[in-house]
Amino acid sequence: MLVRDDFWHKSEEQLIDVLLKSDNSEILDILNRLEKGDFGQKTGEKVFKKFRYIDPLVNVNNKLTRLSKLDTEYSQKIKNARKQNALGILV
């Protein structure tokens, strides 16, 4: 059994371990669905969300430059995420 203090003093792994050792079938079912990415019945409606990302300023020779300008791999990850986001998500 978990108590409120556990959320302050135990790691996420420890909390999940307690839940997995539970004999509560409802909790185990929810954990199993979360692990599989099964969040319930979908309506088939496509929604679009605002694209959010982090592209921090980096100090290079006393000049601030966006990380994406310095690191092509990071820049490509942002571009790929933006494309994926533009497709929307089914709910």
Side-chain angles (χ1 to χ4, degrees):
M1 177 189 335
L2 293 171
V3 295
R4 179 176 266 175
D5 263 4
D6 291 339
F7 292 92
W8 293 102
H9 302 291
K10 290 187 178 186
S11 70
E12 183 177 333
E13 291 169 350
Q14 290 170 319
L15 294 171
I16 291 173
D17 190 49
V18 170
L19 293 173
L20 287 172
K21 290 179 180 173
S22 163
D23 62 352
N24 184 316
S25 61
E26 186 176 359
I27 290 172
L28 295 174
D29 180 54
I30 291 169
L31 289 173
N32 188 36
R33 289 185 11 227
L34 288 172
E35 184 176 43
K36 292 179 180 177
D38 177 10
F39 302 109
Q41 187 174 356
K42 296 185 184 237
T43 65
E45 180 183 353
K46 187 179 273 194
V47 296
F48 298 89
K49 60 183 181 61
K50 183 175 181 177
F51 179 65
R52 297 181 184 270
Y53 65 100
I54 297 172
D55 191 4
L57 290 169
V58 179
N59 186 348
V60 179
N61 298 326
N62 290 325
K63 183 179 177 192
L64 295 177
T65 307
R66 293 282 172 198
L67 179 59
S68 61
K69 298 288 185 193
L70 301 171
D71 185 336
T72 56
E73 182 180 342
Y74 187 74
S75 178
Q76 191 60 50
K77 285 183 181 188
I78 291 174
K79 287 177 186 175
N80 291 343
R82 187 184 307 274
K83 286 179 187 176
Q84 184 67 36
N85 185 74
L87 298 174
I89 53 174
L90 288 176
V91 293

